[in-house]
Amino acid sequence: MNNKKKSKIIIRILNKIYPKVPIPLNYKNTFTLLISVLLSAQCTDVNVNNVTKNIYPKYYRPEHFVKLGRKKIESLIRKIGIFRIKAKSIFYLSKTLLEKHKGKVPNTYEELENLPGVGHKTASVVMSQGFGYPAFPVDTHIHRLAQRWGITNGKNVEQTEKDLKNLFPKKYWNRLHLQIIWYG
């Protein structure tokens, strides 16, 4: 069976299993979505949600995190892996947003990826879930499933993202990315 046929079957099955697809991370606004995605690196979404449920009611804008400072951010996210590195990124990301973007999360890949601690996958999630732009964020789970399904032979998530974008119609990307995460 060729990959186009496989892609149609995958879409049909995932639409049947997941007719409604919730976003796994809880957030209050685009800024807290960005922070949650940054925190989710090498960590479960459940753990991120458990930590941020006590943070976001009080702190949900870049100026809040700048005012908190790195040490206080560290203490708030201590239960998350590599929390010191992430606290540093959150602090400097918040500072950069205030200094260069008037406190607003930018809505281009280039500007997002220039923020401290933000890579392509994080930028893709924010572009997709925060701004509604077609994006196909690929993490290790999606990468492994796509390989298992035989729809990519990509050696890394970048190649897998390219393969999936070529295989699936753009109108399905945002939804399909979430469906595959839930399936995985």
Side-chain angles (χ1 to χ4, degrees), residues 35 38-39 65-66 69-78 81-96 115-118:
I35 298 302
L38 189 149
L39 290 172
F65 287 89
V66 170
R70 284 175 55 185
K71 290 296 178 194
K72 179 65 175 167
I73 296 169
E74 281 182 15
S75 70
L76 290 172
I77 66 168
R78 189 170 303 276
I82 57 176
F83 69 93
R84 286 185 182 89
I85 293 167
K86 291 177 182 180
K88 180 180 177 183
S89 293
I90 291 168
F91 176 76
Y92 286 111
L93 175 149
S94 299
K95 200 170 179 176
T96 303
L115 295 171
V118 177

Side-chain angles (χ1 to χ4, degrees), residues 5-81:
K5 285 183 182 176
K6 285 182 187 178
S7 72
K8 289 178 182 176
I9 292 168
I10 289 167
I11 290 169
R12 190 177 69 242
I13 290 171
L14 291 177
N15 281 337
K16 188 175 182 178
I17 297 172
Y18 305 103
K20 292 187 182 212
V21 230
I23 297 170
L25 290 169
N26 298 329
Y27 62 97
K28 188 171 185 147
N29 54 32
T30 309
F31 172 71
T32 57
L33 172 64
L34 176 60
I35 298 302
S36 288
V37 177
L38 189 149
L39 290 172
S40 72
Q42 300 174 10
C43 181
T44 67
D45 294 339
V46 171
N47 194 18
V48 171
N49 289 338
N50 282 334
V51 168
T52 58
K53 73 180 177 196
N54 298 318
I55 297 172
Y56 293 158
K58 293 180 195 170
Y59 313 112
Y60 50 88
R61 296 181 8 206
E63 52 268 31
H64 296 154
F65 287 89
V66 170
K67 191 173 181 180
L68 282 171
R70 284 175 55 185
K71 290 296 178 194
K72 179 65 175 167
I73 296 169
E74 281 182 15
S75 70
L76 290 172
I77 66 168
R78 189 170 303 276
K79 292 181 182 174
I80 289 181

